Amino acid sequence: NAGVTQTPKFQVLKTGQSMTLQCAQDMNHEYMSWYRQDPGMGLRLIHYSVGAGITDQGEVPNGYNVSRSTTEDFPLRLLSAAPSQTSVYFCASTTGTGSTDTQYFGPGTRLTVL
Amino acid sequence: EDQVTQSPEALRLQEGESSSLNCSYTVSGLRGLFWYRQDPGKGPEFLFTLYSAGEEKEKERLKATLTKKESFLHITAPKPEDSATYLCAVHLSGSARQLTFGSGTQLTVLP
């Protein structure tokens, strides 16, 4: 199993540009989420999904859109990039079996908005 | 407001010098507390889950404990390869498996 994969690893955008961060998992996990990590602030939840066709907002959803058309994929869209969105983005998925709820994280996408 | 606070922010140890990292939380309805390790440029890697006060879990040189107000990650006789940032996160009841993270402790173990 590849686990949780994310592309691209690095991206530089100009203010106002849009892009999609890709996330895929091959563990058949129902629950997936997106976090951003900023220095000194820990990881903060952007959006999450409890299954295909179901998404909801996390702590910092403004400026981001998500969709979940399949169990495997959970892309994050930046509609109009702003410098405040410069961050490292992590996608995660969880077994959600109720026994451990362990979340597995991808390797991250480092985004810079100029 | 639910809060997770980790201390210290940074810790430098000599190889073999045991110590503890702290994660204190003020939340209602704790469902679980998680410890993760994060190496530079990588995603967090799961270490432990603790569910109830008094619970302890061990893995190699690491031991995690939980009380009603805080969790400790004890590192016994650390090695340089234990150098990483250690993250604590809480899973709240009714939060659909969302995690609230602390800001982490950056551990450096010197040879």
Side-chain angles (χ1 to χ4, degrees):
Chain A
N1 285 352
V4 179
T5 58
Q6 292 183 239
T7 57
K9 289 189 175 181
F10 301 93
Q11 183 71 48
V12 179
L13 293 177
K14 294 182 179 179
T15 296
Q17 288 185 315
S18 63
M19 78 160 295
T20 299
L21 279 63
Q22 301 292 343
C23 173
Q25 53 93 7
D26 60 0
M27 297 174 282
N28 202 33
H29 290 170
E30 290 295 323
Y31 183 88
M32 297 183 72
S33 52
W34 277 101
Y35 293 86
R36 61 177 288 173
Q37 187 174 38
D38 302 294
M41 299 189 71
L43 284 93
R44 291 181 292 167
L45 183 66
I46 305 172
H47 284 286
Y48 66 95
S49 169
V50 298
I54 306 170
T55 64
D56 207 345
Q57 297 181 351
E59 180 185 357
V60 288
N62 291 342
Y64 308 95
N65 271 0
V66 292
S67 60
R68 185 94 179 272
S69 57
T70 67
T71 299
E72 294 77 19
D73 300 300
F74 191 41
L76 178 72
R77 280 182 288 277
L78 280 70
L79 307 174
S80 178
S84 60
Q85 294 179 304
T86 294
S87 188
V88 182
Y89 292 85
F90 290 100
C91 178
S93 72
T94 185
T95 57
T97 63
S99 58
T100 64
D101 286 312
T102 301
Q103 291 210 21
Y104 298 90
F105 285 82
T109 294
R110 185 174 296 272
L111 175 68
T112 301
V113 182
L114 303 175
Chain B
E1 181 182 342
D2 299 324
Q3 279 196 322
V4 181
T5 304
Q6 291 189 246
S7 62
E9 290 185 10
L11 181 64
R12 291 166 68 92
L13 300 174
Q14 290 295 134
E15 184 172 2
E17 180 186 2
S18 301
S19 188
S20 297
L21 282 55
N22 178 261
C23 172
S24 63
Y25 58 93
T26 53
V27 300
S28 56
L30 180 71
R31 182 173 174 177
L33 186 140
F34 295 75
W35 283 98
Y36 285 85
R37 169 190 172 128
Q38 186 175 24
D39 293 301
K42 296 192 175 181
E45 176 186 349
F46 171 76
L47 292 174
F48 304 108
T49 309
L50 303 168
Y51 293 101
S52 58
E55 188 174 1
E56 299 181 351
K57 289 193 177 174
E58 290 188 63
K59 179 180 180 179
E60 296 181 356
R61 296 176 292 281
L62 300 176
K63 178 180 176 180
T65 62
L66 181 65
T67 73
K68 289 186 178 180
K69 297 286 188 183
E70 58 192 348
S71 177
F72 291 94
L73 185 64
H74 307 279
I75 304 175
T76 302
K79 299 181 177 182
E81 53 262 41
D82 294 321
S83 296
T85 295
Y86 290 85
L87 303 172
C88 165
V90 298
H91 176 198
L92 306 178
S93 297
S95 64
R97 284 161 280 179
Q98 300 165 45
L99 295 181
T100 301
F101 280 84
S103 56
T105 293
Q106 185 175 0
L107 174 67
T108 303
V109 182
L110 303 171

